[in-house]
């Protein structure tokens, strides 16, 4: 796994082949961040929430590109330990890893973020409820973006808050912006 851009650009991190989590490919990650740059000003040091952090690939990319605070959430103890070891290797202190179940944690969060990224297992039964959950708990700042990675079988075009979709091979991203009420 490699960090694509920013202050940690080119840093490699070994992910054991026995891991279930699949890091977002470099190609998909680079293209996603190219799209996100049109919505998020990374020079303004945004805050981010990385849900279903897996190997920590997106967390590391967010930190590398200038996020001043990243909260990453991973339930699996082995994956969580891997993420914390990567953060320790970098001496990174702007990340707050949480070992938790995303669906139990979200109602307890009282912080808003500029960017929320979620890469749940593609087979997750409640995958389609994630945009509504994020919106319902008001976890995004005004003009914040929710980016959801998912498989090609999932379609969010009926969601009125969908603002962009991208496909890179078998990796799909849907981007949402929610009205502030």
């Amino acid at each position: 796994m490699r960090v694509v851009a920013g202050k940690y650009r080119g840093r490699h991190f070994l992910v054991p082949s026995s891991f279930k989590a699949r890091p977002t490919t470099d190609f998909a990650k680079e293209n996603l961040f190219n799209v996100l740059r049109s919505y998020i000003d990374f020079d303004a040091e945004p805050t981010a929430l990385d849900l279903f952090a897996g190997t920590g690939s997106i967390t590391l990319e967010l930190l590398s590109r200038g996020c001043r605070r990243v909260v990453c959430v991973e339930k699996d103890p082995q994956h969580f330990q891997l993420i914390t070891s990567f953060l320790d290797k970098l001496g990174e202190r702007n990340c707050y890893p949480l070992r938790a179940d995303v669906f139990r944690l979200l109602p307890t969060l009282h912080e808003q973020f500029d960017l929320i990224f979620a890469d749940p297992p593609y087979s997750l039964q409640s995958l389609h409820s994630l945009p509504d959950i994020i919106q319902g708990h008001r976890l995004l700042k005004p003009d914040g973006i929710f980016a959801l990675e998912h498989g090609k079988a999932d379609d969010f075009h009926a969601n009125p808050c969908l603002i962009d979709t991208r496909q890179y091979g078998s990796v799909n991203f849907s981007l949402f912006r929610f009205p502030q009420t």
Side-chain angles (χ1 to χ4, degrees), residues 12 15 28 39-41 48 51 61-62 73 95 102 107 117 140 146 158 175 177:
H12 289 267
V15 176
Y39 298 106
I40 302 286
D41 180 4
L51 303 173
E61 200 70 42
L62 290 163
V73 182
C95 185
V102 167
F117 179 83
L140 281 174
F146 173 50
L175 278 61
R177 181 174 277 150

Side-chain angles (χ1 to χ4, degrees), residues 142-159:
D143 294 324
I145 296 293
F146 173 50
L148 177 60
E149 182 173 337
H150 56 85
K152 62 182 174 183
D154 298 300
D155 184 356
F156 292 91
H157 283 92
N159 188 312

Side-chain angles (χ1 to χ4, degrees), residues 43 50 60 92-93 103 111 154 159:
D43 292 333
D50 182 8
L60 296 176
E92 185 60 63
R93 300 293 172 241
F103 295 101
E111 180 177 355
D154 298 300
N159 188 312

Side-chain angles (χ1 to χ4, degrees), residues 34-181:
N34 286 340
V35 172
L36 287 175
R37 273 200 326 249
S38 65
Y39 298 106
I40 302 286
D41 180 4
F42 285 96
D43 292 333
E45 300 180 336
T47 58
L49 175 63
D50 182 8
L51 303 173
F52 309 94
T55 62
S57 175
I58 296 296
T59 292
L60 296 176
E61 200 70 42
L62 290 163
L63 292 164
S64 184
R65 290 173 184 256
C67 286
R68 72 176 140 82
R69 177 176 164 76
V70 177
V71 176
C72 72
V73 182
E74 176 52 48
K75 181 178 173 179
D76 184 282
Q78 199 177 20
H79 295 180
F80 180 80
Q81 192 280 325
L82 182 72
I83 294 167
T84 57
S85 75
F86 292 162
L87 295 169
D88 288 345
K89 283 179 188 171
L90 293 172
E92 185 60 63
R93 300 293 172 241
N94 293 326
C95 185
Y96 303 88
L98 300 174
R99 186 170 156 238
D101 177 277
V102 167
F103 295 101
R104 289 184 179 169
L105 177 71
L106 290 178
T108 69
L109 290 179
H110 302 289
E111 180 177 355
Q112 290 187 317
F113 300 90
D114 297 295
L115 173 65
I116 299 175
F117 179 83
D119 180 9
Y122 288 2
S123 62
L124 183 72
Q125 293 293 321
S126 50
L127 186 139
H128 276 269
S129 67
L130 281 169
D132 293 336
I133 292 170
I134 299 297
Q135 182 179 16
H137 292 297
R138 294 184 171 91
L139 296 172
L140 281 174
K141 292 180 182 176
D143 294 324
I145 296 293
F146 173 50
L148 177 60
E149 182 173 337
H150 56 85
K152 62 182 174 183
D154 298 300
D155 184 356
F156 292 91
H157 283 92
N159 188 312
C161 298
L162 181 73
I163 59 169
D164 203 348
T165 59
R166 300 296 170 115
Q167 180 179 358
Y168 305 105
S170 62
V171 178
N172 292 265
F173 298 103
S174 291
L175 278 61
F176 303 85
R177 181 174 277 150
F178 305 119
Q180 298 297 309
T181 54

